[in-house]
Amino acid sequence: MSPDENGNSAKRSRDAWVRFLLTRAAGCVIDTGAMGLAYLGAFALRMDFREPACGWRAVAISFSTVWAVQMAALLLTGCYSVPWRRIRTLDLPRYLGAVVLSCGVLTLLRVLLPDGAMGHVRPPYSVTLIDAGLWGMALVGMRVVWRVYMQARQDEKQLLRRSERSLVGAAVLEMLRGKTVLVTGAGGTIGGEIVRQVARGGAARVVMVERSENALYEIDREMRGAGVSAACVPEMADIADEARMRRLLARERPAVVLHAAAYKHVPMVEANPLDGLRNNALATYRLGTWCREAGVSRFVMISTDKAVNPVSVMGMTKRLAEVLLLGLNAEGGATAFSCVRFGNVLGSSGSVVPLFREQIAHRGPVTVTHPGMKRYFMSVEEAVGLVLEAGAQGGNCIYTLDMGEPVKIVDLAEDMIRQAGYRPYVDVPIVFTGVRPGEKLFEELDVSARSAYRTTGHARVYVCTDPGRGADVVPAEVEAFVAGEPSDEAVRAFLRERTAPKA
């Protein structure tokens, strides 16, 4: 870890301790108010809501003793080591122990202290018992209510650090209304949300293509109970299977194809480059040719910001897929081919959000590659809504989306730790593991350079006018290269030569 990383970590640790002390101080103040109300309520119940013989002033003086004993009991039983939002059934013995301990001490004071000079610190037995019950209910009740409230307001979308903006407009409804729509990768996070929005958006029939049996089962089961009017048809098929896909396209005759199937995990594709090239680039191109022959009117491919000046194998295969697919537009035909680039989707399989959630559940460490790592994030609903808006534009081009400001991964990790009720760097450590092969510190979307895009009819959808290298790639060249079963290093060199930015 670099000195800068050590310094940042130490600063964040100090900040976490400050927040810890402030929250615990606030907890003490709230608990003090609950103690006072419980004690006052105990006297009121004991005296039938009449003023006690000793007077309310004596009651207030005696509360100082009650407060000291009850606060000490909370500290001794470790109640302040548990954040309110993290209270569990297993923590209840702590609070029960604090109530019993304080009740025992106050009863002992009543027995041992003289009735004369020390009478003002000796609450009556009955008041002590009533107070214990009221205080115990308030003590646990406040924490349970707070936990329920915090769980209700916890939402991955809050991690965006911006308001979510969407959604589907008239152009999308017009594109879908009464149509048969085929969705590839329908069992994935993005593909599944495409199925949901398309089915709700007026499509007559949604053909769900997915090669994973379990993923297809889950989306099919969900859509059967979704109450949508569209017929959702599960098709367990691999998009690379020519005979299967040709039969499916000939039978269903889809008007729109939304292509979400791809290998997306950067480390996995980096380790298996030939499979990434076959699945992401070549299979996409072949599917596009079959769709054109089947009379599909619109084909939209889900691309990625990693295709912009790509350095990873995954990014390069997606850039090559863009080039090969858009090349079909020049060959004529009734099909309009387009691609939509966007960044990371919160909570999608393989993203950092489920990984961080798992690490936090085990109390860390949470692993972040670099303190300066930034990524664009969207909720899956927002991303898919904008993908459909881009597809409805009808252009034969690459679209990119306005995803707001990028989020630092370390800030995301800290926010998730706090959402879980822990203190970053104190309860849950964060460690920096180093940038992995194929990763960039900052992904680009092209919309930061005004010359690289032009606006469309939608405020958050742009046409990318400078998509990057790769315009000279010939499909037959890729077909022949893949057929030769090249080595992993040969695949990387092939992709770098055709898509990666020149040094």
Side-chain angles (χ1 to χ4, degrees), residues 129-200:
L129 291 174
I130 297 171
D131 175 56
L134 295 175
W135 179 55
M137 288 189 290
L139 187 69
V140 175
M142 289 188 303
R143 285 159 171 79
V144 169
V145 169
W146 183 253
R147 176 185 170 90
V148 171
Y149 168 72
M150 291 304 295
Q151 285 182 329
R153 69 186 292 267
Q154 272 187 19
D155 193 332
E156 284 180 349
K157 296 171 188 176
Q158 295 173 9
L159 301 173
L160 294 173
R161 296 192 169 198
R162 61 175 173 83
S163 60
E164 186 184 22
R165 297 161 289 173
S166 266
L167 283 166
V168 173
V172 174
L173 298 177
E174 182 63 28
M175 177 181 71
L176 300 176
R177 188 177 295 116
K179 306 284 196 341
T180 294
V181 180
L182 187 147
V183 181
T184 70
T189 305
I190 297 169
E193 182 60 25
I194 291 175
V195 169
R196 296 180 194 100
Q197 293 198 25
V198 167
R200 293 195 303 263

Side-chain angles (χ1 to χ4, degrees), residues 345-357:
V345 172
L346 284 173
S348 63
S349 58
S351 76
V352 295
V353 172
L355 172 63
F356 286 173
R357 189 180 296 116

Side-chain angles (χ1 to χ4, degrees), residues 103-262:
C103 185
V105 171
L106 290 171
T107 301
L108 194 62
L109 288 176
R110 181 73 177 181
V111 172
L112 297 179
L113 294 179
D115 193 17
M118 302 299 291
H120 62 287
V121 296
R122 299 168 63 251
Y125 297 122
S126 56
V127 170
T128 296
L129 291 174
I130 297 171
D131 175 56
L134 295 175
W135 179 55
M137 288 189 290
L139 187 69
V140 175
M142 289 188 303
R143 285 159 171 79
V144 169
V145 169
W146 183 253
R147 176 185 170 90
V148 171
Y149 168 72
M150 291 304 295
Q151 285 182 329
R153 69 186 292 267
Q154 272 187 19
D155 193 332
E156 284 180 349
K157 296 171 188 176
Q158 295 173 9
L159 301 173
L160 294 173
R161 296 192 169 198
R162 61 175 173 83
S163 60
E164 186 184 22
R165 297 161 289 173
S166 266
L167 283 166
V168 173
V172 174
L173 298 177
E174 182 63 28
M175 177 181 71
L176 300 176
R177 188 177 295 116
K179 306 284 196 341
T180 294
V181 180
L182 187 147
V183 181
T184 70
T189 305
I190 297 169
E193 182 60 25
I194 291 175
V195 169
R196 296 180 194 100
Q197 293 198 25
V198 167
R200 293 195 303 263
R205 190 173 178 85
V206 184
V207 183
M208 305 179 295
V209 177
E210 172 61 58
R211 71 180 181 183
S212 167
E213 178 192 20
N214 188 61
L216 184 62
Y217 167 76
E218 291 295 338
I219 189 64
D220 179 51
R221 184 171 64 88
E222 177 185 339
M223 297 312 296
R224 286 178 184 275
V228 294
S229 59
C232 296
V233 183
E235 292 288 344
M236 192 162 62
D238 188 332
I239 63 164
D241 186 338
E242 181 175 359
R244 177 77 168 89
M245 292 306 298
R246 282 186 180 276
R247 288 197 305 270
L248 179 59
L249 290 166
R251 187 186 75 231
E252 296 293 343
R253 310 294 296 181
V256 179
V257 171
L258 301 170
H259 177 45

Side-chain angles (χ1 to χ4, degrees), residues 321-368:
E322 293 177 347
V323 172
L324 295 174
L325 191 67
L326 294 181
L328 292 172
N329 287 317
E331 297 179 14
T335 307
F337 295 94
S338 60
C339 307
V340 184
R341 290 175 176 172
F342 62 90
N344 298 273
V345 172
L346 284 173
S348 63
S349 58
S351 76
V352 295
V353 172
L355 172 63
F356 286 173
R357 189 180 296 116
E358 177 184 339
Q359 291 174 335
I360 292 167
H362 292 89
R363 299 294 290 270
V366 172
T367 55
V368 177

Side-chain angles (χ1 to χ4, degrees), residues 224-485:
R224 286 178 184 275
V228 294
S229 59
C232 296
V233 183
E235 292 288 344
M236 192 162 62
D238 188 332
I239 63 164
D241 186 338
E242 181 175 359
R244 177 77 168 89
M245 292 306 298
R246 282 186 180 276
R247 288 197 305 270
L248 179 59
L249 290 166
R251 187 186 75 231
E252 296 293 343
R253 310 294 296 181
V256 179
V257 171
L258 301 170
H259 177 45
Y263 289 151
K264 304 178 180 71
H265 304 312
V266 171
M268 292 298 99
V269 181
E270 202 71 29
N272 301 275
L274 182 58
D275 297 279
L277 176 58
R278 281 176 175 151
N279 190 71
N280 288 359
L282 195 53
T284 294
Y285 168 73
R286 289 171 174 169
L287 179 62
T289 62
W290 306 332
C291 287
R292 182 180 59 185
E293 293 168 10
V296 172
S297 63
R298 197 166 302 188
F299 186 111
V300 181
M301 169 192 148
I302 309 300
S303 189
T304 171
D305 57 359
K306 294 174 178 62
V308 183
N309 296 324
V311 297
S312 67
V313 172
M314 195 279 277
M316 289 186 281
T317 59
K318 294 294 278 186
R319 173 61 187 138
L320 194 62
E322 293 177 347
V323 172
L324 295 174
L325 191 67
L326 294 181
L328 292 172
N329 287 317
E331 297 179 14
T335 307
F337 295 94
S338 60
C339 307
V340 184
R341 290 175 176 172
F342 62 90
N344 298 273
V345 172
L346 284 173
S348 63
S349 58
S351 76
V352 295
V353 172
L355 172 63
F356 286 173
R357 189 180 296 116
E358 177 184 339
Q359 291 174 335
I360 292 167
H362 292 89
R363 299 294 290 270
V366 172
T367 55
V368 177
T369 53
H370 190 279
M373 184 75 73
K374 292 182 180 181
R375 289 294 183 267
Y376 290 96
F377 284 98
M378 303 178 88
S379 72
V380 65
E381 297 87 354
E382 184 180 27
V384 168
L386 289 174
V387 165
L388 295 178
E389 291 286 358
Q393 301 295 314
N396 304 337
C397 58
I398 296 174
Y399 293 101
T400 190
L401 308 178
D402 175 10
M403 299 190 65
E405 294 298 318
V407 176
K408 291 184 71 172
I409 302 300
V410 68
D411 291 342
L412 179 71
E414 292 173 359
D415 288 346
M416 290 187 66
I417 292 170
R418 293 189 193 100
Q419 271 196 356
Y422 296 116
R423 295 162 291 168
Y425 309 98
V426 179
D427 298 322
V428 179
I430 296 176
V431 298
F432 299 101
T433 58
V435 179
R436 298 174 297 184
E439 282 190 325
K440 294 190 286 187
L441 285 180
F442 178 67
E443 297 290 357
E444 305 158 86
L445 281 176
D446 288 349
V447 297
S448 58
R450 186 167 295 277
S451 62
Y453 74 95
R454 69 172 185 268
T455 58
T456 66
H458 192 282
R460 299 188 61 201
V461 178
Y462 303 87
V463 173
C464 179
T465 58
D466 183 18
R469 296 185 63 215
D472 55 347
V473 177
V474 179
E477 176 189 20
V478 181
E479 296 263 13
F481 178 77
V482 170
E485 296 290 330

